[in-house]
Amino acid sequence: MYWGTLGTVRPYSNFYPDRDVTEIVTALENKDTVTLLRILTNRNNAQRQVIAQVFQELTHKDIITALKKALSGDLELLLLELLMPPVEYEAYRLQEAMAGLGTDEETLAEILSTRSGKQLQSISAAYKEMYKKDLEKEIESETSNDFEKLLKALLHKGCVAGVVQTDIETVSASLKGKKAEAGQWIDILTSRDVEHLDNVLMGLELELGQTVDQIIEKRFSGDFRLGLKVLVQCIQNRDAYLATRLKTMKKEIVQRIMVSHSEEDLLCIRAAFIKLTGTSLYTTLQNHFKGDYLKALLAICRSED
């Protein structure tokens, strides 16, 4: 699946999979990481799938297993993630966010807020196929209360017609009581198109004289407040939100957002990053990472801004 045209990783025009596989086999024998990352970061995902298939046909071995034997550490994980088909990769990210002790609530909210309803249907199906578990039930077991309701509503997000002024009044009314009501926020913010919701949020800010972020900060708490903030930021400017996530320069966050968006809209996220920080993503990566892992990240980032 090729989800966008504003990515940094494009189809390699001079693509000969047999030649790539021959080079990869030699590189694996010699543990030549430079060749491995040059090939795998310069082919788009569809081409990587062809490489994996041809590798199997020519060597009778699985390329994932071969990479695991030859590599280790951060570079190994990054190259393995690049070989996952996009839908499966998002399912993997969701699983990782819920695996082990504790749940990565922001990653759950990020993926469910940035993906369309149609994409989430495909991701849910892939999740079931990969992990033999139902994604919605897993979310239920890992989250609770209004945050759980928000994530489940996002998983089944729709696009129902609404009237901007009516939605502004409904959301505003939910704030009138001593305790703000989460239900109206969930219902409206997960069932309208982005342009409509952006107008609703602007209207709400004009009516209340505060930013939506300030309203959410004052009136809600806990995981639901976090999830609602993520959703609102994605409605208002998805690229800016993802740039804010990258700004943390936490290895796992940086790697997974870059891989996830490399063929879709990483150019837009790069532009938002330099606007947010005053420094390009390309330069910032060089200030935080090193070695072959850095080379791979820079290859995905592609160029200086």
Side-chain angles (χ1 to χ4, degrees):
M1 183 182 289
Y2 191 49
W3 279 349
T5 55
L6 291 167
T8 53
V9 177
R10 306 289 178 87
Y12 188 67
S13 57
N14 198 25
F15 181 52
Y16 295 99
D18 288 34
R19 185 174 65 192
D20 283 349
V21 168
T22 301
E23 285 193 55
I24 287 171
V25 168
T26 305
L28 288 168
E29 289 171 356
N30 299 329
K31 297 195 174 180
D32 175 6
T33 55
V34 174
T35 297
L36 291 173
L37 73 86
R38 173 179 57 79
I39 293 171
L40 294 176
T41 60
N42 278 286
R43 309 294 183 268
N44 74 350
N45 194 275
Q47 291 171 331
R48 290 183 212 121
Q49 302 313 314
V50 175
I51 288 170
Q53 185 180 342
V54 173
F55 187 93
Q56 178 80 45
E57 291 168 358
L58 295 181
T59 68
H60 305 290
K61 294 177 183 176
D62 176 54
I63 194 170
I64 300 293
T65 306
L67 282 168
K68 285 179 177 178
K69 282 183 181 176
L71 302 173
S72 61
D74 297 329
L75 182 65
E76 175 199 347
L77 184 57
L78 176 53
L79 294 185
L80 292 178
E81 290 185 6
L82 284 172
L83 281 161
M84 289 186 190
V87 176
E88 291 181 15
Y89 186 61
E90 297 305 290
Y92 161 78
R93 289 187 68 208
L94 288 166
Q95 169 65 14
E96 286 291 296
M98 295 185 282
L101 293 172
T103 300
D104 183 351
E105 290 85 3
E106 184 158 6
T107 293
L108 291 177
E110 174 218 308
I111 296 168
L112 296 177
S113 295
T114 55
R115 296 299 174 201
S116 69
K118 189 175 180 181
Q119 287 172 339
L120 289 171
Q121 286 176 11
S122 299
I123 291 163
S124 294
Y127 191 95
K128 183 106 175 176
E129 180 71 25
M130 293 164 70
Y131 303 108
K132 311 306 176 195
K133 295 175 182 177
D134 181 78
L135 179 55
E136 184 170 1
K137 287 179 181 173
E138 288 299 289
I139 288 170
E140 284 176 1
S141 69
E142 293 292 330
T143 60
S144 59
N145 303 320
D146 289 330
F147 183 58
E148 176 195 331
K149 291 174 187 173
L150 175 64
L151 294 188
K152 285 164 66 179
L154 283 168
L155 188 61
H156 299 289
K157 67 176 71 165
C159 192
V160 180
V163 178
V164 170
Q165 189 54 40
T166 303
D167 285 350
I168 292 169
E169 290 166 5
T170 301
V171 174
S172 181
S174 75
L175 302 166
K176 294 287 198 291
K178 193 171 183 180
K179 187 177 185 299
E181 297 173 24
Q184 288 92 326
W185 288 76
I186 295 171
D187 290 346
I188 290 171
L189 296 188
T190 62
S191 66
R192 308 281 193 267
D193 67 67
V194 172
E195 187 179 352
H196 175 98
L197 290 173
D198 200 25
N199 287 327
V200 170
L201 295 175
M202 284 192 290
L204 189 67
E205 289 180 339
L206 285 170
E207 182 175 313
L208 299 180
Q210 302 173 71
T211 67
V212 178
D213 196 68
Q214 288 170 333
I215 296 164
I216 294 169
E217 184 67 33
K218 287 178 183 175
R219 301 308 310 272
F220 298 106
S221 61
D223 292 340
F224 179 68
R225 176 166 65 192
L226 169 66
L228 198 56
K229 279 189 168 191
V230 170
L231 176 55
V232 164
Q233 287 173 56
C234 288
I235 290 165
Q236 293 177 325
N237 190 331
R238 189 178 80 155
D239 300 328
Y241 167 70
L242 291 169
T244 302
R245 289 274 274 161
L246 288 176
K247 186 185 171 189
T248 65
M249 281 292 126
K250 290 181 180 176
K251 190 178 294 178
E252 187 177 284
I253 292 173
V254 170
Q255 175 174 316
R256 291 182 175 164
I257 288 176
M258 288 183 66
V259 171
S260 182
H261 292 268
S262 60
E263 293 184 37
E264 182 182 358
D265 54 3
L266 190 53
L267 285 173
C268 301
I269 297 166
R270 269 176 27 187
F273 188 91
I274 197 167
K275 186 175 180 181
L276 175 72
T277 66
T279 308
S280 72
L281 178 58
Y282 198 86
T283 294
T284 306
L285 291 170
Q286 292 175 77
N287 293 335
H288 287 83
F289 304 108
K290 60 186 179 181
D292 289 335
Y293 181 72
L294 170 62
K295 290 174 186 173
L297 288 178
L298 293 178
I300 296 167
C301 185
R302 261 317 173 259
S303 63
E304 186 63 87
D305 288 305

